[in-house]
Amino acid sequence: NDPKVLNGVKEKAALYVEGLNAINEKYHVFKEIRGKGLLIGGVLADDYQGKAKEFLVAAMEEGVMTLVAGASVVRFAPSLVIPNDDILEGLARFERAVAKVANA
């Protein structure tokens, strides 16, 4: 309940969503990015429905951990105190994973 941590969560969530939107502008893999705080889900676009596990595996190969929430949602659940640099590195790795799946 520390206000500094809670404000940091809002900032980090915005950074995450901004990064995911940038990835989506290039690859069009999500139809919606939603969540609360740092529990964020990317709902896969129609062309990628049922392929969340493919994104999870490709992300793992790039050294970034994601989760799935059903067959068509890629979930992100980082630490509430994750450094911004780690978010940016994770997003870069996730973008490489998305490129693998989107260009397969």
Side-chain angles (χ1 to χ4, degrees), residues 28-84:
H28 309 287
V29 294
F30 299 120
K31 67 174 155 184
E32 179 184 10
I33 296 171
R34 62 186 182 202
K36 189 158 188 112
L38 283 172
L39 183 59
I40 301 166
V43 180
L44 295 175
D46 292 341
D47 289 346
Y48 297 96
Q49 287 292 298
K51 296 185 178 184
K53 186 175 179 182
E54 289 181 36
F55 286 93
L56 178 140
V57 170
M60 228 179 345
E61 290 171 355
E62 292 297 329
V64 65
M65 189 172 83
T66 63
L67 304 167
V68 296
S72 298
V73 177
V74 179
R75 179 174 283 174
F76 306 86
S79 163
L80 298 180
V81 295
I82 185 173
N84 288 355

